[in-house]
Every structure is written in C-alpha cells, then in structure tokens.
Amino acid sequence: MSEDVTHIRFSVLGGAFTSFWIHVNSEDLIKTAVMATFGTVVSYVVSLLVKFIRKRIKRHQAKD
C-alpha cells in the first residue's frame, strides 16, 4: 500500500512540474535569477551595514 501512495505522489508531482515547465519561458527564468541575485546582494550589504552600526554603538557606549 505504501508503494502505491508513493507512486501516486510522484505521478502528481511529475505532472504538476511538467505543466509548470511548459508555461515558463526563458525570460521568466532570467528575470527570476537576476532578482534573486539582486536580493542576495542587498541582503548581504544591509547585514554588513547593521553589523557596522552595532559595532559603532557598542564602541560609543563603552567610551561613556
């Protein structure tokens, strides 16, 4: 019984993936990759900025 359920799940997932893949064009994939890269870079820069600000605040508090 367990093998039947697994087979059905993979069949449904395979059909959904195939249906999805037909409707996606290369422009969408490129746009998604560019936006993901941009989001990653912005996230990294913001985390560095927050780290820098926290360091400055701690240093300023230590002087007082």
Side-chain angles (χ1 to χ4, degrees):
M1 182 77 175
S2 177
E3 290 179 18
D4 292 338
V5 173
T6 303
H7 178 68
I8 291 171
R9 285 182 184 169
F10 280 118
S11 297
V12 170
L13 288 174
F17 180 74
T18 303
S19 173
F20 169 76
W21 190 255
I22 291 172
H23 292 95
V24 174
N25 54 12
S26 61
E27 292 175 6
D28 291 337
L29 293 176
I30 292 170
K31 185 170 125 179
T32 301
V34 168
M35 293 301 289
T37 303
F38 181 72
T40 302
V41 170
V42 168
S43 176
Y44 181 71
V45 169
V46 168
S47 68
L48 287 178
L49 183 64
V50 168
K51 186 177 179 181
F52 175 75
I53 291 171
R54 286 181 66 194
K55 252 185 175 177
R56 295 227 9 174
I57 289 173
K58 282 185 179 182
R59 228 186 287 153
H60 182 70
Q61 289 176 347
K63 287 183 180 179
D64 291 341

